[in-house]
Amino acid sequence: MDLFLPLMWSDSTLLFADLRGSIGDTGNHEGNWSVAARTLTSSDWILGAWGGYDLRESSTGNHFDQVSFGIESMNLDWDFRMNGYVPTNMDPQQVPGTSASAIFTGNNIIVRSNQESAFGGLDGEIGRLLWSNDPCCCDDDGSRVSSLDAELRAFVGGYYFNNSAQGFEEISGPRARSELRLYDLAMLGEGSRLTLEGFIQHDNVRGTQAEAGLYIRIPFGSGSGRSLGRIERRMVDRIVRDVDVVASNQTIDDPANFASTGLAIDSVRVVDATDDLSVEVAAAGPGSVVIVDGSAGIISEGDTT
């Protein structure tokens, strides 16, 4: 649900709040709270800026929050926008319900765990009006299309998100979407709109993601029920942004450390009945770990180790 709430306005300026919330059946609960300002120039360009705060509970049960902001420029035909996202904490978190395990590999011991972390980043897009139909400015040929107040817009852009913690890959790639908007629906009244959206993006971490959405806007309040002009409609467009706090769940390998000193364990040897224990220990040297494995039989040692 998205609440678009005008706070202050005039013929050429608008200050509004944009309050959003969503609930998923497998986690992914989100909340977004933003305040935005837009102004209409004499050349019919709309310049805007917004800032907000976001919360998210991921499907794993971890909680993330961030500060978000953006700028935009629009007219009847074009859209340009850029958004930024800054998590308040980018430290990796253990995925609830999972545990870390020690893995012996080569001459090292690593600690393998499933961790999740928020990512900071940017996204942006350029949009273009592809088709529009204004029933007030065309001949009514009796068809359903001629009576529709509608427009079709297409957008292309991209995104880049990153976390400097070891083991987390950057998330970046292209994005494209389209919107078919129907305005002033008879059953919902003047000022209403129905938007059909298609969306696709791709990156190396999450792969290809595609979505289809249906948005219905219903006007409320004493000022509702008035048909808006084309540029006025643009003034009250919803903020286009990534509503997620972008997070990634990845398997991370960290070096094992000695609990007493905090130093990394960078030399490990395994000794069994086929080896000479005292020789192997002497060869391992200071600051190393020797694992004595009895699976190959009894280990006999006559020398002092």
Side-chain angles (χ1 to χ4, degrees):
M1 181 169 289
D2 181 354
L3 177 63
F4 185 97
L5 182 63
L7 302 175
M8 297 176 61
W9 61 90
S10 67
D11 290 339
S12 60
T13 60
L14 174 65
L15 178 69
F16 64 93
D18 186 272
L19 312 176
R20 308 184 189 191
S22 65
I23 297 176
D25 60 347
T26 57
N28 286 320
H29 312 315
E30 299 167 5
N32 314 105
W33 300 276
S34 306
V35 175
R38 287 173 176 159
T39 183
L40 177 62
T41 70
S42 58
S43 57
D44 281 348
W45 275 92
I46 297 171
L47 305 179
W50 64 273
Y53 180 74
D54 309 318
L55 292 174
R56 177 188 178 193
E57 179 184 295
S58 72
S59 58
T60 67
N62 281 326
H63 294 263
F64 303 101
D65 56 353
Q66 70 182 9
V67 175
S68 51
F69 54 89
I71 56 175
E72 59 185 0
S73 177
M74 304 178 290
N75 65 6
L76 292 177
D77 298 318
W78 290 95
D79 293 73
F80 302 92
R81 57 181 53 89
M82 180 70 71
N83 303 316
Y85 311 91
V86 183
T88 58
N89 185 358
M90 296 178 66
D91 294 334
Q93 302 181 36
Q94 185 81 15
V95 173
T98 65
S99 59
S101 57
I103 307 295
F104 178 71
T105 172
N107 288 327
N108 294 285
I109 293 179
I110 60 173
V111 179
R112 180 165 295 168
S113 60
N114 197 356
Q115 299 182 22
E116 188 175 25
S117 181
F119 281 54
L122 300 167
D123 64 20
E125 68 175 12
I126 299 174
R128 181 73 165 90
L129 177 67
L130 300 182
W131 169 83
S132 65
N133 185 74
D134 189 342
C136 299
C137 304
C138 62
D139 295 331
D140 188 355
D141 57 8
S143 67
R144 292 186 177 182
V145 174
S146 65
S147 63
L148 289 177
D149 193 350
E151 61 184 26
L152 176 64
R153 295 182 179 272
F155 305 84
V156 293
Y159 53 94
Y160 174 85
F161 292 89
N162 199 7
N163 186 305
S164 59
Q166 182 177 0
F168 286 91
E169 300 179 50
E170 68 178 42
I171 300 174
S172 61
R175 173 183 293 162
R177 65 186 188 91
S178 61
E179 290 185 2
L180 175 62
R181 302 177 181 179
L182 307 178
Y183 295 99
D184 299 337
L185 305 174
M187 62 186 303
L188 298 178
E190 302 287 352
S192 62
R193 70 174 69 174
L194 175 69
T195 303
L196 302 173
E197 182 183 51
F199 169 98
I200 188 169
Q201 66 180 24
H202 176 83
D203 56 69
N204 292 332
V205 175
R206 300 175 296 187
T208 300
Q209 297 177 301
E211 294 180 5
L214 173 66
Y215 301 91
I216 301 175
R217 171 176 281 193
I218 304 173
F220 297 102
S222 59
S224 63
R226 181 176 72 86
S227 179
L228 300 177
R230 293 186 67 199
I231 196 66
E232 290 179 308
R233 290 172 180 170
R234 300 287 276 157
M235 285 287 284
V236 296
D237 277 357
R238 63 191 178 98
I239 296 174
V240 178
R241 48 152 301 170
D242 195 326
V243 296
D244 294 332
V245 179
V246 175
S248 179
N249 178 6
Q250 300 183 24
T251 299
I252 303 299
D253 291 339
D254 291 318
N257 297 327
F258 288 103
S260 58
T261 64
L263 297 177
I265 301 174
D266 56 8
S267 177
V268 179
R269 293 182 180 229
V270 177
V271 179
D272 60 20
T274 63
D275 299 308
D276 187 312
L277 178 60
S278 60
V279 172
E280 293 295 332
V281 169
S288 60
V289 171
V290 176
I291 299 173
V292 180
D293 179 6
S295 63
I298 296 174
I299 297 176
S300 300
E301 179 57 49
D303 295 332
T304 300
T305 301

